[in-house]
Amino acid sequence: MRERRIGLWGAVATLVGYVIGASIFVLPAELLPTAGAGVILAYAIAAVPAVFTCVAGAVVGNAFPVSGASYVGVRETISPFLAFCTAWLILCAGAIGAALVAYG
């Protein structure tokens, strides 16, 4: 069986896709009447921390090349209890994110 591998740029591209998600296609139409042309500037400013978040996620995934690297990374570096809390927060964030995308 071949070993499945993804490089740093592949991981960053995947995480950017998760961060951007469907909201980039829904929100500009909602925000344009209120913010006007500032929407483009707001997206450009928001892209900066999103890129840093994606690179940090790729580094964690590279440091712990296992399924569930976020959980394993917190468990190995901080504590099992906080890893448990992290796993539940990720689950809740996914559920809330899916609900917000469905609402949009």
Side-chain angles (χ1 to χ4, degrees), residues 5 15 24 28 72 75:
R5 295 189 54 99
L15 288 168
I24 196 158
V72 174
R75 185 187 70 204

Side-chain angles (χ1 to χ4, degrees), residues 72-103:
V72 174
V74 174
R75 185 187 70 204
E76 297 293 324
T77 57
I78 301 175
S79 77
F81 175 72
L82 286 178
F84 174 79
C85 293
T86 299
W88 276 102
L89 286 172
I90 290 171
L91 182 69
C92 291
I96 292 170
L100 289 173
V101 168
Y103 176 75

Side-chain angles (χ1 to χ4, degrees), residues 36-52:
V39 171
I40 296 170
L41 180 62
Y43 271 99
I45 292 170
V48 174
V51 167
F52 285 118

Side-chain angles (χ1 to χ4, degrees), residues 42-74:
Y43 271 99
I45 292 170
V48 174
V51 167
F52 285 118
T53 302
C54 293
V55 171
V59 169
V60 168
N62 192 31
F64 300 99
V66 295
S67 183
S70 298
Y71 169 79
V72 174
V74 174

